[in-house]
Amino acid sequence: MTEAPARIPRLYRSDVRAARQRLGSDVRVTPVFHTEVAGPDGPVKVTLKLEHLQYGGTFKLRGSLNALLQSAAGRPVVIASGGNAGIAAALACAVQGRPCTVVVPETAPHTKVAAMWSYGAEVLWHGTTYAECKRHADIVTAERNALQLHAYDLPAVVAGAGVVGLEIERQVRGRPPVLMAVGGGGLMAGIAIALGPRSRVIGVEPKGAPTLNAALAAGRPVDVPVDSIAADALGATRIGDIALDTAIRYGVGSLLVGDDAIAMAREYLWREFRLVVEPAGATALAAVQSGAYVPAPGERPVIVLCGANTDVTTL
């Protein structure tokens, strides 16, 4: 007898609004910056959502803290992460006084591991991919009777990330398209749910990690090889179930950009605005600067700069 497929949790704007209420002042309302950036055919008007200024340098704090606020107080936490989700979980646990263990791949950047340590997390190295980390995190979770957070495919994590969308809605007039980087898809899904079907949400992915693009083509999550300079943040090998369901439901599109474009966008943000972001944080901007996304006349897209956990010596 064939088992019925697991039901994918479906989230609504009310879930994101509840997350905003729950998070309160424990997260920053990050600012927006109206400006122009260099495009392939001249200046392009954009609005940058400076989410890299979030506590911990990553939007993921919103989801991790929202999940913890809905769980039993004091329970230890385990998470598998290549970087930013681990930093966010470590910081959220520090805020709540909980023990936190992060399982990272052997390739995890020292900058991100150091940030986890700074918030008091225990760090365990295991394997070379997120999938290997996740399997080991499952074992550690069972041994310690811990709460396991997921980097992107957990309803509370997606709802928390969606608060970024509610902020954009209040900070920017009209309904401009919103572009953000996609790895596992938690940020994309949360923003799409927050803004609803009348808004355009566009995921931007490295060509070397096209999780959403491949899933939309196949009609289901599929494993993809990961080979990109943004892999330490956008290194999921497949899109999350919640993210794909949301993308199909709201007609979210996917654009692909090369590593050269990502590197150029990251360097441009530093050179022109003195904004320090990691490669994942510059991925959405790369779509505009490379011409992968061309705004319509009179349109000013919102570009989410999602993370700043990087080695500044590489700029």
Side-chain angles (χ1 to χ4, degrees):
M1 181 177 180
T2 304
E3 291 185 6
R7 182 175 177 274
I8 299 171
R10 180 156 283 190
L11 300 176
Y12 299 91
R13 180 178 166 90
S14 59
D15 295 301
V16 182
R17 290 170 62 91
R20 178 173 62 184
Q21 184 71 23
R22 195 175 294 116
L23 291 169
S25 61
D26 287 337
V27 297
R28 282 188 177 126
V29 176
T30 54
V32 296
F33 175 35
H34 305 295
T35 188
E36 291 184 346
V37 298
D41 299 313
V44 179
K45 294 181 182 295
V46 299
T47 296
L48 303 178
K49 173 63 170 169
L50 307 183
E51 184 60 17
H52 68 296
L53 299 180
Q54 187 54 255
Y55 296 123
T58 172
F59 76 92
K60 287 180 178 287
L61 175 65
R62 299 173 184 267
S64 290
L65 192 53
N66 187 47
L68 295 191
L69 289 169
Q70 296 182 72
S71 66
R75 192 176 175 191
V77 170
V78 174
I79 187 169
S81 169
N84 284 342
I87 293 170
L91 177 52
C93 285
V95 169
Q96 291 213 320
R98 299 189 189 210
C100 180
T101 300
V102 186
V103 183
V104 302
E106 295 168 6
T107 53
H110 177 73
T111 302
K112 296 192 175 186
V113 173
M116 298 172 203
W117 281 333
S118 74
Y119 296 127
E122 174 191 22
V123 178
L124 303 177
W125 284 263
H126 188 87
T128 58
T129 66
Y130 173 78
E132 291 173 320
C133 288
K134 179 64 169 63
R135 286 192 291 270
H136 189 64
D138 292 342
I139 295 170
V140 175
T141 299
E143 290 175 347
R144 302 183 183 184
N145 190 30
L147 168 68
Q148 184 174 174
L149 294 183
H150 196 285
Y152 53 85
D153 203 22
L154 191 68
V157 167
V158 173
V163 178
V164 175
L166 297 182
E167 290 180 9
I168 291 171
E169 187 176 58
R170 295 183 64 179
Q171 293 168 320
V172 181
R173 293 181 179 179
R175 291 183 175 270
V178 181
L179 284 70
M180 76 292 300
V182 174
L187 179 62
M188 172 275 293
I191 290 177
I193 292 163
L195 296 180
R198 290 185 296 162
S199 295
R200 287 182 63 204
V201 173
I202 301 161
V204 184
E205 306 175 87
K207 291 179 180 178
T211 57
L212 176 59
N213 197 278
L216 289 173
R220 58 182 176 82
V222 293
D223 288 326
V224 299
V226 175
D227 181 15
S228 170
I229 60 170
D232 63 330
L234 306 179
T237 56
R238 66 164 50 198
I239 200 75
D241 290 332
I242 297 173
L244 180 59
D245 179 69
T246 302
I248 294 171
R249 185 173 151 207
Y250 291 110
V252 176
S254 166
L255 299 174
L256 301 180
V257 294
D259 278 358
D260 286 348
I262 294 171
M264 289 177 63
R266 178 173 178 257
E267 193 275 334
Y268 179 86
L269 286 167
W270 168 246
R271 185 180 71 248
E272 295 297 325
F273 305 114
R274 290 301 186 261
L275 296 177
V276 179
V277 300
E278 59 193 285
T283 296
L285 177 61
V288 172
Q289 293 199 295
S290 68
Y293 180 80
V294 179
E299 179 183 274
R300 182 191 288 269
V302 177
I303 297 172
V304 182
L305 308 183
C306 56
N309 291 300
T310 188
D311 181 352
V312 295
T313 64
T314 62
L315 283 166

